[in-house]
Amino acid sequence: MGLGRKVTTNQQPATSNVPGEAYHSGMRVALLLILALPLVAQTAFEEKVTVHYVEVPVTVLRDGNPVRGLTKENFDLSDDGRKRAVESFEAVDLAASDTAASVSPLNPAARRNFLLLFDLTYSNQTSITRAQTAARSFISRSIASRDLVSIGIVDVDRGFRFVTAFTTDREMLTSAIADPKNFRTKDPLQISGTSSLEAAPQNSAGLGDKESIALENAKDIGRQADRLDDSRSRTRVRRQVEMLSTVARSLQKLAGRKHLVLLSEGFDPRLVTGRDASETEEQNEENRALSQGEVWKVDSDKRFGSPDSMKSIDLMADTFRKADVVLHAVDIQGVRVQNDVRGGAKFNSNGGLFLLADATGGTVFRNSNDISAEFDRLTHQHEVVYILGFHAPLGRPSQFHELKVKLVNVPGARLQHRGGYYDPGGET
């Protein structure tokens, strides 16, 4: 009977519902996802390091003369204690006749910037006039055509002021230096830097009790007056040091090597470092006072030096280093003498200038009545600049990194270089 026959076919459904096949299909998908996870993680969490380019201008001197002909193999560079490979190297000789043609435009890191800073606090009017003449000569004959120069004045009573901006306009600079109202000292006789009262040394032996007591009282009054005067003088020194730090900070973003040239006679170094070793008479008197238990008669700052003043100079040096500024001092008093016909032996030192310049790695030009020649020496020392370049990882915005550069196989030479650099991103 045809109605009872079963019909079969070989066709398969489009979608299978067999449990085993669904299981194996799911396993394949899961395996593909597992294999893809490392690639996804690597793409999503890959560490990104940003670097920026740092250039380090270096000056190398031997016996006061620039050293030429060095290569990058002569320099060992470290950044925060980590050695960095010198990736680029450039030698710029500003005295060479073909400099303008071979280095055009001039690398900003090789540019020389000179701030001629006239010190109206520790200079008399005669010395300032001599310095003005030398500065005009410096501008007309010593600096290169692309050197930038600025004129400034500093006075602890009136502050610091730029007379001109940094410029290559030699006529403007010369006119600014010649302006008498800018360079008139307030205290040309330096009366404010002398002791207000001094008791004449006398021997109390042979005097009566009343006379001896009166003499000791007079000496005590003289000592107190000297202490007050020294305290005022130290305050003036610290104010000048703080002003110099302010000047350095104002130059921080200026590209190139920055030379602050302080034209000054300098302050009395004893205000900072203490008594000179040659002053044995006063030292013996203090020793006698200490042996008798009269400690109030001994001024420790005058005997051993002022810790506060030394700290202010250390802070100034750190500011100069971070701003990439070097302080050079020109002693505008000329050749110094330690005695004269009227006063006999006297203390006459430019040690205060050395305290400032040495702290920043600068040079003191001294004992010369020809200040123009001292300016020539300054520019000659910085005729050759080596520029070392490297890539550094970018840290926190405005983070300071300390740089160290050492010479390799250059015996008898010393170098000057920027003390470090700041990471970009924190500018205001």
Side-chain angles (χ1 to χ4, degrees):
M1 297 291 295
L3 293 176
R5 191 170 63 186
K6 183 183 290 186
V7 179
T8 61
T9 179
N10 292 327
Q11 293 181 348
Q12 296 293 331
T15 302
S16 175
N17 293 323
V18 179
E21 291 184 3
Y23 172 78
H24 288 293
S25 177
M27 286 292 291
R28 284 195 296 270
V29 173
L31 181 60
L32 289 174
L33 289 174
I34 292 172
L35 292 175
L37 278 176
L39 295 176
V40 174
Q42 182 177 0
T43 302
F45 303 105
E46 184 179 37
E47 183 178 1
K48 193 173 183 180
V49 178
T50 304
V51 297
H52 64 120
Y53 188 67
V54 180
E55 290 185 312
V56 186
V58 181
T59 301
V60 183
L61 301 174
R62 183 188 288 121
D63 299 326
N65 297 307
V67 178
R68 291 175 165 85
L70 301 182
T71 66
K72 70 177 183 179
E73 284 72 24
N74 294 119
F75 298 94
D76 187 7
L77 174 66
S78 62
D79 174 14
D80 281 339
R82 297 182 179 181
K83 187 172 181 178
R84 302 288 187 196
V86 179
E87 301 174 36
S88 67
F89 179 83
E90 183 179 1
V92 180
D93 192 340
L94 297 171
S97 58
D98 60 344
T99 295
S102 62
V103 187
S104 184
L106 181 67
N107 188 327
R111 185 185 293 277
R112 297 187 301 186
N113 304 277
F114 296 97
L115 171 58
L116 305 185
L117 188 60
F118 290 80
D119 180 8
L120 304 186
T121 305
Y122 297 105
S123 305
N124 63 47
Q125 193 58 53
T126 301
S127 296
I128 288 291
T129 302
R130 186 188 304 122
Q132 287 175 270
T133 302
R136 287 193 293 268
S137 175
F138 166 72
I139 290 170
S140 64
R141 75 179 194 183
S142 299
I143 57 177
S145 60
R146 288 187 286 189
D147 289 337
L148 293 178
V149 182
S150 176
I151 310 297
I153 54 177
V154 61
D155 187 334
V156 298
D157 297 316
R158 291 174 285 188
F160 162 76
R161 180 165 65 89
F162 279 109
V163 179
T164 72
F166 281 89
T167 179
T168 58
D169 188 337
R170 309 308 186 228
E171 185 176 349
M172 176 194 296
L173 294 167
T174 303
S175 299
I177 293 173
D179 190 354
K181 71 176 183 296
N182 288 322
F183 301 98
R184 182 65 55 183
T185 57
K186 190 175 180 180
D187 183 23
L189 299 180
Q190 299 294 288
I191 295 174
S192 61
T194 59
S195 298
S196 58
L197 177 63
E198 294 184 3
Q202 297 184 33
N203 192 342
S204 59
L207 298 177
D209 291 339
K210 291 184 179 181
E211 290 83 356
S212 297
I213 293 174
L215 179 59
E216 286 302 315
N217 289 338
K219 287 183 177 180
D220 285 340
I221 293 173
R223 279 191 287 266
Q224 291 299 323
D226 285 344
R227 287 190 184 186
L228 289 174
D229 187 72
D230 286 347
S231 178
R232 287 193 294 267
S233 297
R234 290 190 187 97
T235 299
R236 290 169 66 82
V237 170
R238 288 195 292 271
R239 286 180 62 188
Q240 186 187 52
V241 170
E242 291 168 359
M243 286 181 186
L244 293 174
S245 298
T246 301
V247 175
R249 280 191 291 268
S250 70
L251 304 179
Q252 180 173 310
K253 295 182 180 179
L254 186 65
R257 295 294 287 162
K258 290 156 284 191
H259 304 277
L260 191 160
V261 185
L262 182 66
L263 298 142
S264 174
E265 296 179 36
F267 55 81
D268 187 344
R270 296 177 297 182
L271 295 169
V272 178
T273 59
R275 182 182 300 108
D276 185 75
S278 62
E279 300 176 69
T280 56
E281 182 177 346
E282 189 172 3
Q283 183 174 345
N284 291 336
E285 183 176 346
E286 288 182 348
N287 290 337
R288 287 192 295 270
L290 290 173
S291 65
Q292 297 173 7
E294 299 172 326
V295 294
W296 65 88
K297 293 184 178 180
V298 180
D299 184 348
S300 60
D301 285 348
K302 192 173 185 179
R303 182 180 175 93
F304 302 110
S306 169
D308 290 340
S309 298
M310 287 301 302
K311 182 179 179 180
S312 67
I313 292 179
D314 291 339
L315 292 174
M316 181 206 75
D318 186 63
T319 301
F320 270 72
R321 178 177 63 88
K322 291 182 176 180
D324 189 23
V325 182
V326 178
L327 186 151
H328 307 282
V330 177
D331 184 0
I332 60 177
Q333 187 180 117
V335 176
R336 293 176 181 256
V337 294
Q338 299 302 321
N339 55 72
D340 56 35
V341 176
R342 291 182 302 170
K346 64 178 181 179
F347 184 83
N348 186 14
S349 170
N350 50 21
L353 298 178
F354 279 92
L355 287 173
L356 297 176
D358 288 348
T360 69
T363 305
V364 177
F365 301 93
R366 57 178 178 140
N367 292 337
S368 173
N369 288 325
D370 184 4
I371 303 177
S372 298
E374 303 305 305
F375 275 122
D376 290 341
R377 286 177 56 200
L378 173 61
T379 53
H380 172 65
Q381 287 185 353
H382 299 278
E383 287 175 348
V384 179
V385 182
Y386 297 99
I387 303 174
L388 317 180
F390 69 98
H391 285 90
L394 192 63
R396 300 188 307 273
S398 297
Q399 179 182 354
F400 183 76
H401 299 268
E402 186 172 5
L403 292 172
K404 293 290 185 183
V405 181
K406 296 181 180 179
L407 290 171
V408 179
N409 297 325
V410 190
R414 63 182 181 89
L415 55 78
Q416 296 177 356
H417 65 87
R418 63 186 296 188
Y421 65 95
Y422 288 91
D423 282 328
E427 296 84 355
T428 57

